[in-house]
Amino acid sequence: QPGMMSFAGRDVDSRTTEVFIVMPDTSQAQLDYFGVNSWETPFGYVTGTLHDTALNFFAPTGDLPPLGDGPDPHKIYLNDGYEYLAAEFPGLDYINYCFLPWEREKTEEL
């Protein structure tokens, strides 16, 4: 369902640090497919209004190659991955930190 967060992966034991958020305009066919594979099990949910959070992230093209013109994961994992992202996708957003709701007080100083 829109707002769910999951690790991205392509096969068993392939998850790393990439996370995706199911966006509101995701087709029903794609929604039905999410969670079929164990590596796509949702672990979180974007609270509040998606428009105020995830929809304001920089999304250059919507998807990774070959389905879109987004960052190439193979280039990200090369030695200069961050430099590649900065040069090719200068508006890219990054998640700096996250927290458990009951630990919010600890993060207010961040």
Side-chain angles (χ1 to χ4, degrees), residues 21-68:
I21 300 170
V22 179
M23 302 304 272
D25 60 348
T26 303
S27 71
Q28 186 60 49
Q30 186 65 46
L31 289 173
D32 292 342
Y33 183 74
F34 284 143
V36 171
N37 299 304
S38 62
W39 56 87
E40 293 180 333
T41 303
F43 67 85
Y45 186 76
V46 176
T47 60
T49 305
L50 275 177
H51 185 268
D52 293 336
T53 52
L55 293 181
N56 288 323
F57 291 161
F58 176 72
T61 56
D63 211 338
L64 304 176
L67 303 174

